[in-house]
Amino acid sequence: MTPDRLSGILSALADPTRRAILARLAEGETSVTELAEPFAMSMPAVSKHLKVLERAGLIARGREAQWRPCRLEAGPLREVSDWLDHYRRFWDESLDRLEDYLQALQKGDPGGTPS
Amino acid sequence: MTPDRLSGILSALADPTRRAILARLAEGETSVTELAEPFAMSMPAVSKHLKVLERAGLIARGREAQWRPCRLEAGPLREVSDWLDHYRRFWDESLDRLEDYLQALQKGDPGGTPS
DNA sequence: GGGTTAAATAACCAAATAGTTTAGTACTGC
DNA sequence: GCAGTACTAAACTATTTGGTTATTTAACCC
């Protein structure tokens, strides 16, 4: 039950094989056979991964003779980035520690040290 | 078979319930019961979601009398952001179209129009 | 100690996922 | 048309996931 777009994108990304495929495609368009080459799995398995990436909008496939060149479609990654933006303010640890320190100071804690 | 950290984080995020939990925790620490309240599912189901988030390092749980207050731990989100950074250059669509336009110009295409 | 509240665990189930092998489709080139 | 190449689809299997209800643990209060 994950009908929403962002969940589809994130679960497509939540697999090391699929992320490796995207990394390869960042270097340029290529065929399925070449994409499959580094992996210890069958072609149909790779084909399935590509279908997952395609449904998430992360790749597009063309037609060129008997090859199906894949290329990266990074638009959905921006959606992930936009979602992450809501949390940027939380993940700077040094900022967190500074905050703790300032709160400690306000409470008059003499031993409060920022590290 | 997803032993790597980033996959664990991304699959934890690839569920709308869990993202809603994180959104709630962004407003501040709270109890499991309160976290569960907006969802049409049992407490144990929420408890399982929390375990997934905890294993991914996205939340931490304390102890306060009979309550187990949860708080956001956004560190792992930075790892996602760092991974995304490798793709930032791809996802600006207008930049893509500009690139296409410039390539069309180079090939001497007279109908090449940037939109 | 006994009752109540908060939460986790256990045991179970259905559906989705990630892989396999086998078979089929689509195009090339002789 | 036929053999070969590149890929997809189908059918099957094992594991994981996301949910359920019933039970247990842990702390509070009287």
Side-chain angles (χ1 to χ4, degrees):
Chain A
M1 197 187 282
T2 43
D4 70 294
R5 194 173 155 71
L6 187 52
S7 296
I9 297 165
L10 287 166
S11 72
L13 297 177
D15 180 288
T17 302
R18 287 193 290 261
R19 289 198 307 279
I21 288 172
L22 293 182
R24 169 63 190 80
L25 291 178
E27 293 169 20
E29 197 166 299
T30 189
S31 72
V32 177
T33 307
E34 196 183 317
L35 279 176
E37 195 267 323
F39 304 109
M41 68 179 72
S42 64
M43 279 273 293
V46 172
S47 205
K48 280 191 186 183
H49 281 304
L50 292 175
K51 184 139 68 176
V52 173
L53 289 169
E54 190 177 32
R55 293 207 61 210
L58 285 160
I59 66 170
R61 283 188 271 193
R63 206 347 122 63
E64 201 167 316
Q66 62 270 63
W67 294 275
R68 291 306 184 68
C70 297
R71 70 171 192 280
L72 184 62
E73 288 282 327
L77 294 181
R78 183 207 280 251
E79 295 177 41
V80 176
S81 181
D82 289 348
W83 178 82
L84 275 175
D85 280 343
H86 299 137
Y87 297 90
R88 285 249 150 77
R89 63 185 168 114
F90 292 106
W91 76 56
D92 191 333
E93 292 235 354
S94 61
L95 194 66
D96 283 359
R97 271 194 228 107
L98 181 61
E99 242 176 85
D100 291 348
Y101 173 61
L102 294 176
Q103 286 190 353
L105 274 188
Q106 265 194 325
K107 287 179 186 168
D109 175 359
T113 50
S115 73
Chain B
M1 200 187 282
T2 43
D4 71 295
R5 196 173 153 71
L6 188 53
S7 296
I9 297 165
L10 287 166
S11 72
L13 297 177
D15 180 287
T17 302
R18 288 194 288 264
R19 288 199 306 280
I21 288 172
L22 292 183
R24 169 64 190 79
L25 290 178
E27 294 170 18
E29 197 166 299
T30 189
S31 72
V32 177
T33 308
E34 196 183 318
L35 279 176
E37 195 267 323
F39 304 109
M41 69 179 70
S42 64
M43 279 274 292
V46 172
S47 206
K48 280 191 186 181
H49 282 304
L50 292 175
K51 185 137 70 176
V52 172
L53 290 168
E54 190 177 32
R55 293 207 62 211
L58 286 160
I59 65 169
R61 283 189 272 194
R63 199 2 113 61
E64 202 167 314
Q66 62 268 66
W67 295 275
R68 224 87 20 121
C70 297
R71 69 169 192 280
L72 184 63
E73 289 282 326
L77 294 181
R78 183 207 281 252
E79 294 177 43
V80 175
S81 181
D82 289 348
W83 178 83
L84 276 175
D85 279 342
H86 299 138
Y87 297 91
R88 285 249 149 79
R89 64 187 166 112
F90 292 107
W91 75 56
D92 191 334
E93 293 235 354
S94 60
L95 194 66
D96 284 359
R97 268 193 231 108
L98 181 61
E99 242 176 86
D100 291 348
Y101 174 62
L102 294 176
Q103 285 190 353
L105 275 188
Q106 264 193 325
K107 287 178 186 166
D109 175 357
T113 49
S115 68

